Amino acid sequence: MPTTEVSTSRTADILEEKIRSRRARVGIVGLGYVGLPLAVEFARAGFSVTGIDISEEKTRRVNAGDSYVGDVAGATLAPLVESGKLRATTDFSAVLELDTVNICVPTPLRKTKDPDMSFIVSSCQEIARHFHAGMLVILESTTYPGTTDELVLPMLAKGGLEVGRDFFLCFSPERVDPGNPRYQTVNIPKVVGGSTPACTQVGRLFYSQALHTVVPVGSTQVAEMVKLLENTFRMINIGLVNEMAMMCARMGIDVWEVIDAAATKPFGYMPFYPGPGLGGHCIPIDPFYLSWKTRQAGIEARFIELAGYINGQMPHFVVDKVQNALNDAGKPVKGSRILVMGVAYKRDIEDVRESPALDVLLLLQRLGGVISYSDPHVPELRLEGLRLQSVPQEAAAGADCVVIVTDHKSFDYGRLVERAPLIVDTRNALKGATSPKIVRL
Ligand SMILES: NC(=O)c1ccc[n+]([C@@H]2O[C@H](COP(=O)([O-])OP(=O)(O)OC[C@H]3O[C@@H](n4cnc5c(N)ncnc54)[C@H](O)[C@@H]3O)[C@@H](O)[C@H]2O)c1
């Protein structure tokens, strides 16, 4: 970990002075769940921030002080926009005026589970057109190790500028946890690694102006791998506990009770919980960036493939539970009214990307179930050819079976147990409730 001062160029000295004095003009490319909170933090720290996004709708809303990200309150955003500290544009020529750029664009997977680098490439091409000496560029999008130095660096260095001397390049993994009130962008420690020691030093200085804790590491590759280790760790442990849940179900053991008891061990154990499957833009996707890269080095990432397979089985496992519960109640799935409660990929947020609820709904519909959903955070849902609208929670009384897929805090679980005839609870949301009509994972 480079903690000592490194010798830097005059360009670095000028940029560092601008950063320290808050005169550096900060740019954030991609104003989504990651980029908008980051833009807000730097504006709050006193920097002049320009957000660049290809979405006219998002830039318009930011400029109107109207937040579309759950973790950014409109009351926080609006004054920053009004005071001129934060603005948004679709025009990449704004880069000409900027000193720093953080890239926070999507990194999805292709259908083949190969990384889709098109967003990084297209945003970097645009940045490169207006790039100039003296800039700091930090990639934050989750990606495979090597991306920053192998893909981004050549695009920026094309004009003959030298990294570490004329401009500075880092990778810093984004660790945002949407909906977590305790840990937000400002107090989640920020890991940063540069292409050169001078790059790391400038990157570290930059983040330390706005965020509480900065953790410098020795290279961009280390920083890229940190994120993949964190998310792969989660994915594999969730896979393990999901397999445990399937084993316990077969043996008639309550997996939730097992986990709670195991979690009393004060060392060497960390509880993970089973559920209907992985969701979101990170955990189901990021580990495959790593397995894709390691395959090129001749190593099969077997833990990742196995956990991916097990986690992918969970929506089917849930649907089997629903089917069996309905059969036991003397009703075939076909023609039964099935209400899915919660479709966001996790509690108290509105994001449905990769949500297992979508698979559960589609599988039930294919079996002939008459599906509906209730989610106060997701008023409307597009599901292949279907367009569904959220129904009130009270609809549970008229359903043949209710499936709790996402355990939003705002659901009234007491009333649900009173009214619903049959409940499949995939999250242990009804912990402590005892009723023959409750079927747990
Ligand atoms: N959402 C999370 O919880 C989370 C957590 C950690 C890391 N990440 C990572 O951060 C990155 C961004 O994720 P996100 O959730 O903020 O995505 P997002 O889809 O919410 O936001 C991305 C934004 O980038 C914009 N965009 C797309 N192409 C662009 C381009 N060429 N130029 C400018 N803007 C462009 C989109 O319009 C969108 O507003 C991803 O790599 C993701 O894996 C996300």
Side-chain angles (χ1 to χ4, degrees), residues 30 32-34 53 58 107 119 122 141-142 174 178 227 282 353:
Y33 289 93
V34 166
D53 200 293
K58 285 187 178 168
T107 41
F119 297 89
S122 63
S141 302
T142 306
E174 180 45 58
K227 175 74 183 174
C282 293
R353 287 179 293 180

Side-chain angles (χ1 to χ4, degrees), residues 393-439:
Q393 184 191 329
E394 287 65 34
D400 297 304
C401 181
V402 172
V403 193
I404 301 173
V405 174
T406 309
D407 51 345
H408 292 309
K409 284 197 200 115
S410 58
F411 286 138
D412 183 341
Y413 293 106
R415 263 204 19 227
L416 181 67
V417 175
E418 271 170 33
R419 306 254 172 108
L422 182 63
I423 307 170
V424 174
D425 179 5
T426 70
R427 300 279 189 180
N428 205 21
L430 307 178
K431 188 175 181 177
T434 48
S435 162
K437 63 184 175 185
I438 301 173
V439 177

Side-chain angles (χ1 to χ4, degrees), residues 29-35 52-55 58 92 104-107 119 122-123 140-142 174-176 178 227 281-282 286 345 353:
V29 173
L31 294 172
Y33 289 93
V34 166
I52 306 177
D53 200 293
I54 50 171
S55 161
K58 285 187 178 168
F92 271 84
C104 311
V105 296
T107 41
F119 297 89
S122 63
S123 56
E140 293 214 10
S141 302
T142 306
E174 180 45 58
R175 293 162 142 177
V176 70
K227 175 74 183 174
H281 188 27
C282 293
D286 303 348
Y345 80 85
R353 287 179 293 180

Side-chain angles (χ1 to χ4, degrees), residues 219-239:
S219 65
T220 56
Q221 289 88 342
V222 168
E224 289 159 340
M225 199 65 166
V226 166
K227 175 74 183 174
L228 296 175
L229 171 61
E230 291 167 3
N231 282 4
T232 303
F233 172 85
R234 254 189 93 65
M235 181 228 204
I236 287 172
N237 279 287
I238 293 170

